[in-house]
Amino acid sequence: MTVHQEARVRRRARLRGSTAGRALAACMVGVVFSFPLAIMAVGSLRKPGLPPPGGLELLPDVLWSGNYETAAGLIPLGQQLLNSVLVVSTAVPVTVLVASWAGFAIAMARPAVRRLLIGIALVVLSMPASAMWVPRKVMLEQLGLTDHALVVALPAVMGTTPFYVLLFAFAYHRIPRSLYEVAAVEQASVFRIWRSVAFPLARPTMFAVAALAFAAYWGNFIDPLILLTTEDDWPLALGLRALSALEPTLHPLYMAAAVMATAPAALAFLAAQRALAPRRDLET
Amino acid sequence: MGIAIHGAHKAYRSRRKQPIAALTEVDLHVARGELMVVVGPSGSGKSTLLRATAGLEALDAGRIEIGGRDVTTAAPGDRDISLVFQDYALFPHLTVAENIAFGQRARGVPKTQITTDVAQAATMLGLTAALARYPRELSGGERQRVALARAMIRRPKAFLLDEPLASLDPDLRLRTRAEIRELQRRLGVSMLYVTHDQTEALALGDRIAVVRAGRIEQVGTPDELYSRPSTAFIARFIGTLPMNLLPPEALGRENGPVTGIRPERTHLAHAGHGHLTGRIAAVEPSGEETVLHVVCPDTTRILVRVPSSDGVPRPGSETGITWSNADEHHFASAEGPRTA
């Protein structure tokens, strides 16, 4: 075996070692984070009315799937699930589009303007969300925009949060400038440059923002609590909140509803796994 | 007229808000169908000149015309030019065919016409087999050809190329250089070609503009630049080996102009004979010719290029150097203008 071959074998062994180490670390983190989900799923299969288990229960003695049906009877689960789907299916694409456009504008701006816009975004980002609760409610009431399930999706028309805008801005900024310039020389409009060059190359960021926005809107119960007074307009997260007030022995019902509220988000994240993986596209 | 640049001026602001001139009073005229090479050292302003011509940088003053039309304030897409970057700027998520067709699609050309144009460009540049591949699957030379195909498909009034061969290995660079020249002749289009490599400039250009510190020092044919450089800087910059610049003291004069003599115009003589005598400090054989580094007693260093067949002297030995007076160039100073 030559010196080069030996070096290659050693390098491959090192790479295998580091890949295995990374996979093990990822598995450990996965186990830690999926533990509450497992507790929730196991809890949803426990018969209601029984005293709580003494310690950690891997599986209840009797598996009881009727909690799902009972929970659906206690709150208008179907309507609220529909509301949540409506909010998410509106807010997520709008958030991605608006945040992407705003990020593109920042990335394309002259350096001084770009720095200013990033500074403004960071200032807005540092404001506590609770500071906007009352002003937003007052503003929407004056505009007559309360009491509709979709009111909750309104922040999407501003990109939901400056954080998403900054994610896109940094992603677009990493794309070689010459790609934008050659597109401009080839008579592509700004919109076409965004659509044909910037947006496709920022695909992982797009999926990351979509996943974050999905999780944010799906689990949001504060805004619906402030803005929506009719139970039929509530999203599932707020309906779930109502179930949490049940007495402790009925918690399996709450857990069953929580599983139904969590499953779509978890499935959406799993489906987007491949898209979130880094692409080799930028290796020209 | 292909490209005409009149009085172009461009300055950047430093971090301390001080203006740094990138272009100063630049006048350059590229005839229709001419290949003009802009050559200069790094930071001389040559890329700024190209980017300003493309509309990617706005001029502070001056005027640019392309195809007889004033495009000074026109957007890059409205200048009827094509641009090839050093990094090729291929869209990594698009196939070769989609890369070539990008501009045509943006301009709303009918699909059937695009298909014909792409096929034609691919045939011309030998890319037909690579049309379905992605840029990451191509070699450096193929990527370069895709960039050229994308540039030529619109039949622009002018081609602008910014160091297009810089990323290629020497073999491929030589081949691609010839292909670019052939393509330019075949298309009959004006070309502004920026490079820092004077060998490339001499090999490619119908004319060459030498840029230094934001100013054009000389515009001329490769032969004019080589045989009658207008400044001592160009004398050193143009040529495979830099011209020897000898202060008057080196030739035993108290004052007078700086004398320039090309290494290939010098000959060896016996020590103590000829114009100068010095010690051979280094010998660099390069096939049929050998380059000698000779150090004179006053520390002046002279390059001498001699045929290897003449017998190569050993380093450390003394030698005389001679040349024909007709081959001498004279400059006001080591950086100054030509006097004779």
Side-chain angles (χ1 to χ4, degrees):
Chain A
M1 193 182 280
T2 66
V3 176
H4 289 300
Q5 283 169 327
E6 275 178 28
R8 205 160 42 235
V9 168
R10 274 202 303 275
R11 201 163 48 241
R12 277 187 191 153
R14 262 203 314 275
L15 271 175
R16 268 201 302 274
S18 65
T19 308
R22 274 202 302 272
L24 186 67
C27 283
M28 286 168 70
V29 170
V31 166
V32 168
F33 278 90
S34 55
F35 193 67
L37 292 175
I39 295 283
M40 186 173 72
V42 169
S44 74
L45 296 172
R46 202 179 149 76
K47 199 165 182 182
L50 297 175
L56 186 65
E57 187 181 55
L58 289 178
L59 262 184
D61 296 335
V62 180
L63 292 176
W64 184 257
S65 61
N67 292 328
Y68 288 88
E69 204 179 325
T70 313
L74 289 174
I75 53 169
L77 198 72
Q79 180 60 45
Q80 290 178 356
L81 185 65
L82 202 66
N83 291 340
S84 286
V85 170
L86 184 67
V87 166
V88 163
S89 58
T90 308
V92 171
V94 173
T95 295
V96 168
L97 267 187
V98 174
S100 168
W101 286 337
F104 188 59
I106 291 175
M108 292 294 101
R110 283 182 290 123
V113 178
R114 186 164 59 234
R115 281 195 294 273
L116 178 72
L117 291 173
I118 289 174
I120 292 171
L122 288 173
V123 167
V124 176
L125 194 59
S126 65
M127 286 169 63
S130 52
M132 297 303 294
W133 289 345
V134 175
R136 193 184 296 164
K137 182 176 171 61
V138 171
M139 190 180 78
L140 291 175
E141 269 179 353
Q142 284 178 353
L143 291 170
L145 287 174
T146 49
D147 276 338
H148 189 285
L150 270 181
V151 166
V152 181
L154 270 177
V157 297
M158 292 190 294
T160 299
T161 156
F163 177 60
Y164 301 158
V165 174
L166 289 175
L167 278 181
F168 272 112
F170 293 136
Y172 292 143
H173 191 59
R174 278 202 306 272
I175 295 170
R177 196 108 190 138
S178 56
L179 294 186
Y180 300 132
E181 291 179 341
V182 88
V185 168
E186 291 293 339
Q187 286 185 299
S189 63
V190 174
F191 181 74
R192 192 176 184 97
I193 295 173
W194 168 79
R195 183 169 66 89
S196 303
V197 180
F199 196 56
L201 289 176
R203 210 173 68 134
T205 304
M206 186 262 281
F207 279 105
V209 167
L212 290 170
F214 181 95
Y217 282 101
W218 190 262
N220 183 12
F221 71 89
I222 290 287
D223 287 337
L225 187 66
I226 296 166
L227 300 171
L228 304 173
T229 51
T230 316
E231 198 182 7
D232 279 349
D233 289 334
W234 288 1
L236 192 54
L238 189 53
L240 200 62
R241 179 83 184 86
L243 278 183
S244 71
L246 293 172
E247 62 170 282
T249 56
L250 295 179
H251 263 199
L253 299 174
Y254 177 61
M255 294 292 189
V259 167
M260 286 191 275
T262 310
L267 289 175
F269 182 74
L270 285 174
Q273 278 288 296
R274 283 181 69 82
L276 288 169
R279 290 178 66 179
R280 295 180 60 211
D281 279 355
L282 276 176
E283 296 169 25
T284 54
Chain B
M1 175 58 73
I3 305 168
I5 300 165
H6 308 277
H9 185 87
K10 172 80 186 171
Y12 295 106
R13 299 251 162 217
S14 70
R15 280 178 182 267
R16 291 180 182 175
K17 307 284 176 200
Q18 296 297 311
I20 301 167
L23 296 175
T24 309
E25 291 299 316
V26 170
D27 288 299
L28 188 64
H29 298 254
V30 185
R32 203 169 159 184
E34 183 182 33
L35 199 163
M36 170 73 78
V37 178
V38 178
V39 66
S42 295
S44 57
K46 55 190 188 300
S47 285
T48 305
L49 180 63
L50 184 116
R51 291 175 62 80
T53 310
L56 300 172
E57 303 271 358
L59 289 177
D60 296 333
R63 209 171 77 250
I64 296 172
E65 290 170 21
I66 294 173
R69 188 167 64 94
D70 189 336
V71 294
T72 313
T73 54
D78 298 332
R79 296 188 175 212
D80 203 0
I81 51 149
S82 280
L83 187 56
V84 176
F85 283 95
Q86 181 180 342
D87 65 358
Y88 318 130
L90 300 181
F91 304 115
H93 58 299
L94 302 181
T95 62
V96 167
E98 288 166 339
N99 262 285
I100 297 173
F102 184 88
Q104 298 289 72
R105 282 195 181 149
R107 287 183 284 276
V109 175
K111 271 186 183 174
T112 48
Q113 181 65 46
I114 293 176
T115 311
T116 313
D117 291 348
V118 169
Q120 206 173 15
T123 308
M124 198 180 264
L125 287 154
L127 288 166
T128 309
L131 283 175
R133 282 151 65 188
Y134 285 89
R136 63 175 176 275
E137 298 165 340
L138 304 177
S139 68
E142 286 172 325
R143 290 176 197 182
Q144 176 60 259
R145 292 210 296 277
V146 176
L148 284 170
R150 184 177 60 191
M152 61 168 268
I153 196 170
R154 72 186 287 190
R155 306 266 166 178
K157 287 219 164 55
F159 262 122
L160 310 179
L161 293 91
D162 190 3
E163 308 248 12
L165 308 181
S167 311
L168 303 181
D169 60 53
D171 249 11
L172 198 54
R173 199 179 306 163
L174 207 66
R175 200 154 15 111
T176 314
R177 198 163 79 188
E179 284 172 3
I180 289 176
R181 180 77 246 207
E182 194 197 331
L183 185 72
Q184 186 268 339
R185 284 207 177 115
R186 212 184 315 168
L187 298 174
V189 70
S190 307
M191 191 178 270
L192 193 60
Y193 184 110
V194 162
T195 179
H196 69 276
D197 183 343
Q198 52 82 30
T199 316
E200 207 169 290
L202 289 171
L204 266 178
D206 289 323
R207 287 190 302 151
I208 299 169
V210 182
V211 184
R212 186 190 180 204
R215 292 176 187 274
I216 290 188
E217 291 222 347
Q218 186 176 2
V219 181
T221 63
D223 184 53
E224 283 167 358
L225 259 68
Y226 178 80
S227 54
R228 281 193 69 78
S230 67
T231 65
F233 165 76
I234 295 172
R236 273 204 323 275
F237 190 70
I238 295 289
T240 317
L241 293 172
M243 184 184 282
N244 294 304
L245 294 175
L246 308 169
E249 307 84 61
L251 295 168
R253 299 181 206 130
E254 277 189 14
N255 49 38
V258 169
T259 301
I261 183 75
R262 293 224 172 259
E264 50 273 31
R265 300 289 184 191
T266 55
H267 309 282
L268 293 182
H270 291 294
H273 291 82
H275 289 81
L276 290 167
T277 293
R279 184 179 52 79
I280 298 173
V283 176
E284 292 176 3
S286 58
E288 290 206 354
E289 289 174 323
T290 299
V291 177
L292 308 175
H293 293 247
V294 181
V295 181
C296 296
D298 68 340
T299 72
T300 304
R301 259 185 121 83
I302 298 176
L303 294 175
V304 179
R305 191 152 85 179
V306 292
S308 301
S309 55
D310 287 1
V312 179
R314 264 186 260 148
S317 58
E318 292 277 316
T319 184
I321 303 167
T322 186
W323 58 80
S324 159
N325 288 346
D327 289 330
E328 284 186 0
H329 303 255
H330 295 108
F331 303 98
S333 67
E335 296 283 315
R338 180 183 195 89
T339 55

